[in-house]
Amino acid sequence: MNVLVAGGAGYIGSHTVKQLKAAGHNPVIYDNGSRGHIEVVDILKVPAVVADLNDRATLSKALRDHKIDTVMHFAAYAYVGESVQKPLMYYQNNVATTVAVLECMQAAGVKRFVFSSTCATYGDPTSVPITEEEKKAPVSPYGRSKLMVENVLSDLVAADKQFSFAALRYFNASGCALDGTIGEDHDPETHLIPSAILAAMGMRPALTLFGTDYPTPDGTNVRDYIHVEDLADAHILAMQKLMPGQSVFCNLGTGRGFSNKEIIKAVEKVSGKTVPLTVGPRRAGDAIALWADPTRAKQLLGWEAKHKDPEVIIRSAWIWHSRHPRGYAGK
Ligand SMILES: NC(=O)c1ccc[n+]([C@@H]2O[C@H](COP(=O)([O-])OP(=O)(O)OC[C@H]3O[C@@H](n4cnc5c(N)ncnc54)[C@H](O)[C@@H]3O)[C@@H](O)[C@H]2O)c1
């Protein structure tokens, strides 16, 4: 299939481009480079359009020129804290931009959409593991922006029976390409695994543990770490399974939770180095424990995470970060 990957120069988008290409599809990266790394275009050797998604003329031309069947939409801003500080920027880029993309798709007759949603749409769940039936009560503008798009998509499918979408609610995306070619490089980097690795490498002074008094076995938050290549595979399956008029809402996680301290211990084991730590206060909005019930993804998409052992995920990240201590720019 011909797939426009919006945000394809970013972390999850670039890994999905790689897997799409490996599976024989024709991905086209569309990215403005604001938060991703246009360097991946040369590494992945795929066509790319470097432009903003709000540039409707360029986007419409890309949809037509590349005879696009499916849009996978990874492009967004994705920092919870920043979304609290700058909510309008988040609603503009995560909601209004997505509406612009959907309008261009409608005009070009492109009917299949795979959307990066998030477990942040659930907010603080009433129980774990989290099923898709859990109440949607996001606690940040970021989470609300993603839930708003889910609602837009439901309204669109109700109005256009040829349209179809999958809203994939990721848990903690992590790891790097298993062949070491591409990796994770956010600025600032706030995700636990790369932050712990960078601290172990001496690239940052110490890793801050935000709260060690949570009601969990070791007092730290518990999360579900899903390898980025597993996420990519789920997108491809979703694209292939979607039928006109269908809406799919799916959790993407391993179904297993690991505490921050367990992950740090695993980073130390994989790297053979100590992770320097400082302890800070709890951060507002951090849920105690989040892990997915992945049953629906298995039933609907035939998808299950292949990499459930955090050490495998961490090893893939360790390999990439030790070769790229300053990320893509430092190469
Ligand atoms: N990383 C995670 O753990 C995680 C978890 C749940 C959901 N998500 C969602 O997955 C998606 C991808 O996350 P990521 O970590 O790869 O983010 P990322 O920041 O690495 O990638 C996003 C990409 O989108 C591009 N972009 C942003 N706005 C754009 C615009 N207006 N026009 C063109 N390009 C634009 C950026 O330049 C960047 O390359 C996001 O939508 C995010 O909300 C991520």
Side-chain angles (χ1 to χ4, degrees):
M1 289 187 187
N2 300 332
V3 188
L4 188 107
V5 184
Y11 169 47
I12 306 170
S14 60
H15 286 81
T16 305
V17 167
K18 181 172 181 290
Q19 302 288 92
L20 278 164
K21 196 179 163 193
H25 297 288
N26 304 311
V28 177
I29 290 177
Y30 193 109
D31 201 296
N32 64 4
S34 59
R35 300 213 162 169
H37 301 276
I38 301 298
E39 293 93 324
V40 300
V41 174
D42 287 340
I43 300 170
L44 296 173
K45 300 186 175 38
V46 293
V49 180
V50 180
D52 197 281
L53 289 161
N54 293 295
D55 176 350
R56 290 173 185 241
T58 304
L59 176 58
S60 302
K61 185 172 179 325
L63 293 173
R64 277 196 314 273
D65 287 357
H66 294 280
K67 301 189 170 46
I68 295 298
D69 311 296
T70 303
V71 172
M72 291 190 181
H73 186 45
F74 298 90
Y77 295 146
Y79 293 113
V80 169
E82 186 183 55
S83 80
V84 175
Q85 301 299 322
K86 301 176 180 174
L88 297 183
M89 188 174 110
Y90 272 68
Y91 291 121
Q92 172 59 48
N93 203 39
N94 295 3
V95 183
T97 302
T98 305
V99 172
V101 172
L102 292 166
E103 284 178 340
C104 289
M105 285 174 63
Q106 201 169 49
V110 181
K111 297 292 188 183
R112 208 176 293 114
F113 191 72
V114 183
F115 175 61
S116 298
S117 191
T118 167
C119 64
T121 53
Y122 298 114
D124 264 315
T126 47
S127 62
V128 280
I130 304 171
T131 71
E132 290 80 359
E133 307 309 324
E134 177 64 46
K135 68 172 175 13
K136 313 300 173 302
V139 293
S140 68
Y142 167 66
R144 280 189 281 276
S145 73
K146 293 288 183 173
L147 185 58
M148 282 179 193
V149 172
E150 288 195 0
N151 290 332
V152 169
L153 293 171
S154 293
D155 288 342
L156 187 53
V157 96
D160 178 356
K161 297 288 178 231
Q162 294 307 306
F163 182 74
S164 62
F165 74 88
L168 304 177
R169 298 182 187 134
Y170 320 155
F171 282 66
N172 286 43
S174 47
C176 298
L178 292 168
D179 65 4
T181 49
I182 53 172
E184 179 172 17
D185 182 7
H186 292 110
D187 183 19
E189 187 55 81
T190 57
H191 297 107
L192 179 62
I193 291 175
S195 301
I197 287 176
L198 291 168
M201 289 167 64
M203 298 306 293
R204 55 169 68 179
L207 175 74
T208 305
L209 265 179
F210 295 105
T212 51
D213 58 350
Y214 282 98
T216 58
D218 66 17
T220 61
N221 299 117
V222 173
R223 295 290 182 268
D224 184 336
Y225 293 87
I226 168 90
H227 192 268
V228 67
E229 289 190 349
D230 277 330
L231 280 183
D233 290 346
H235 286 71
I236 298 172
L237 286 168
M239 169 181 81
Q240 289 166 336
K241 298 246 166 179
L242 277 177
M243 301 298 289
Q246 197 181 1
S247 5
V248 168
F249 297 94
C250 254
N251 288 338
L252 295 180
T254 62
R256 300 172 65 182
F258 293 91
S259 76
N260 292 349
K261 281 189 178 166
E262 286 174 316
I263 293 294
I264 292 163
K265 225 166 130 191
V267 168
E268 291 185 329
K269 186 170 167 206
V270 167
S271 66
K273 293 180 185 296
T274 302
V275 177
L277 285 179
T278 56
V279 173
R282 290 184 183 196
R283 280 185 308 200
D286 271 346
I288 300 166
L290 301 173
W291 68 91
D293 178 337
T295 309
R296 189 188 281 183
K298 191 166 185 183
Q299 285 167 349
L300 286 185
L301 309 178
W303 175 88
E304 193 178 1
K306 289 192 196 97
H307 308 294
K308 294 185 183 164
D309 177 354
E311 281 184 29
V312 173
I313 297 176
I314 290 166
R315 193 163 298 112
S316 70
W318 172 252
I319 289 170
W320 193 80
H321 285 287
S322 25
R323 287 184 195 155
H324 304 86
R326 291 189 166 72
Y328 285 106
K331 225 186 131 235

